[in-house]
């Protein structure tokens, strides 16, 4: 399985050939590959309508917070569900849509390698090139980039590509699974890239998620009603709640978790002051994992 065969040009959808470190489509669009297979497939000039991706401080905060391991039960949950639903595939192409810094992608890739007999090739897409670059470095450290970047072989590989998830540079019906963790769900694109028998697996916040932090930030707390999202073209196959308590041991951990959430943009000065005054915090993690099958 070679990722190059499944990538396509974000401008015209044409397939790629690789010449040294340049990917080219038949229409003459070229994309330079950096070392370790990193290639930016955000279409130049077309990014106006796409989200530009999270800011650098948010990315750093998320990387540092996730490194504490406090969210590892969430990727463990997703990996367990994928192992169950993908056991019939001889080899797996996993697409992480809105992968951030790849923390969950890499843990899931590692877990799947031990659960399934065939090869596992993961590709994470994110509108933030900083996040994708950070993920690519982590993948290289974990030994998931092979020797020669995109196109190399191995039992488990993981590549990260800056791209718009609403216009994925992936060929039709190549992915065994799409995961969407705390990211927008690009329903039509997911249908297009999934193979027959493939699944979409989502992770989203449940009604109690970070309740204690919200109570500190806001006097009037509004939270989602907990309704199960329905996606046209998919049928919900399984739900699993991941619910536990974490202890944020110091001000840095409290601030990092705050910075990586949407609360960061929605909190007034008084709320921020209350949060930054906390020396530690115990918070509930309430995450809903859902498996959707193609209809
Ligand atoms: C809350 S973060 C979650 C990251 C990662 N899945 C995780 O759980 O750690 C959401 C991510 O979705 C990305 N994103 C949002 N809209 C996007 C789009 N249209 N195309 C690509 N990525 C997008 C953001 O850049 C951000 O990294
Ligand atoms: Zn092209």
């Amino acid at each position: 399985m070679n990722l190059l065969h499944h990538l396509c040009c974000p401008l015209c959808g044409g397939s790629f050939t690789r010449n040294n470190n340049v990917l080219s489509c038949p229409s003459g669009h070229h994309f330079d590959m950096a070392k370790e297979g990193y290639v930016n497939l955000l279409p130049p000039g077309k990014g106006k309508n796409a989200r530009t991706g999270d800011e650098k401080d948010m990315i750093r905060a998320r990387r540092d917070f996730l490194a504490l391991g406090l969210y590892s039960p969430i990727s463990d949950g997703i990996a367990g569900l994928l192992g169950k639903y993908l056991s019939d595939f001889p080899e797996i192409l996993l697409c992480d849509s809105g992968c951030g810094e790849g923390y969950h992608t890499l843990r899931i890739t590692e877990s799947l390698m031990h659960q399934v007999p065939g090869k596992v090739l993961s590709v994470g897409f994110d509108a933030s090139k900083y996040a994708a670059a950070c993920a690519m470095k982590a993948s290289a450290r974990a030994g998931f980039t092979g020797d020669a970047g995109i196109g190399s072989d191995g039992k488990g590989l993981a590549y990260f590509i800056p791209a718009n998830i609403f216009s994925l540079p992936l060929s039709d019906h190549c992915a065994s699974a799409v995961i969407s963790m705390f990211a927008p769900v690009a329903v039509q694109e997911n249908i297009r890239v999934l193979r027959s028998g493939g699944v979409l697996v989502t992770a989203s916040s449940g009604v109690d998620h970070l309740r204690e932090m919200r109570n500190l930030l806001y006097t009037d707390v509004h939270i989602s009603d907990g309704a199960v999202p329905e996606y046209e073209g998919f049928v919900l196959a399984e739900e699993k709640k991941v619910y536990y308590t974490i202890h944020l041991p110091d001000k840095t951990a409290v601030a990092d978790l705050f910075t990586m959430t949407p609360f960061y943009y929605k909190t007034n000065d008084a709320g921020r002051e209350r949060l930054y005054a906390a020396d530690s915090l115990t918070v509930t993690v309430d995450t809903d994992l859902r498996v959707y099958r193609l209809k």
Side-chain angles (χ1 to χ4, degrees), residues 9-14 16 24-31:
C9 174
L11 297 175
C12 69
F16 279 132
S24 310
C25 77
S27 309
H29 302 124
H30 301 294
F31 298 87

Side-chain angles (χ1 to χ4, degrees), residues 4 14 175 197 229 247:
L4 188 59
H247 182 66

Side-chain angles (χ1 to χ4, degrees), residues 94-170:
L94 175 70
C95 166
D96 189 349
S97 178
C99 59
E101 306 70 39
Y103 170 80
H104 295 300
T105 331
L106 292 171
R107 295 193 78 248
I108 291 164
T109 304
E110 170 94 47
S111 170
L112 276 178
M113 277 166 57
H114 296 109
Q115 290 186 71
V116 300
K119 289 183 178 176
V120 179
L121 171 58
S122 298
V123 56
F125 298 102
D126 202 284
S128 162
K129 62 180 187 213
Y130 302 110
C134 181
M136 202 62 200
K137 279 185 204 141
S139 183
R141 280 197 301 273
F144 287 151
T145 53
D147 293 329
I150 287 172
S152 66
D153 233 356
K155 162 78 174 142
L157 293 170
Y159 293 103
F160 295 91
I161 295 176
N164 180 3
I165 58 172
F166 289 91
S167 177
L168 284 169
L170 266 188

Side-chain angles (χ1 to χ4, degrees), residues 181-212:
M181 301 181 69
F182 307 105
V185 178
V187 182
Q188 289 310 315
E189 269 303 75
N190 296 342
I191 292 173
R192 183 184 68 76
V193 301
L194 276 172
R195 291 175 56 171
S196 154
V199 288
L200 164 67
V201 184
T202 63
S204 55
S205 303
V207 287
D208 283 343
H209 194 52
L210 311 184
R211 182 164 37 88
E212 299 81 356

Side-chain angles (χ1 to χ4, degrees), residues 257-275:
L257 180 56
F258 171 61
T259 306
M260 67 184 252
T261 66
F263 310 148
Y264 186 57
Y265 296 112
K266 297 180 187 164
T267 302
N268 63 23
D269 289 346
R272 278 172 190 268
E273 272 173 35
R274 283 193 296 277
L275 184 99

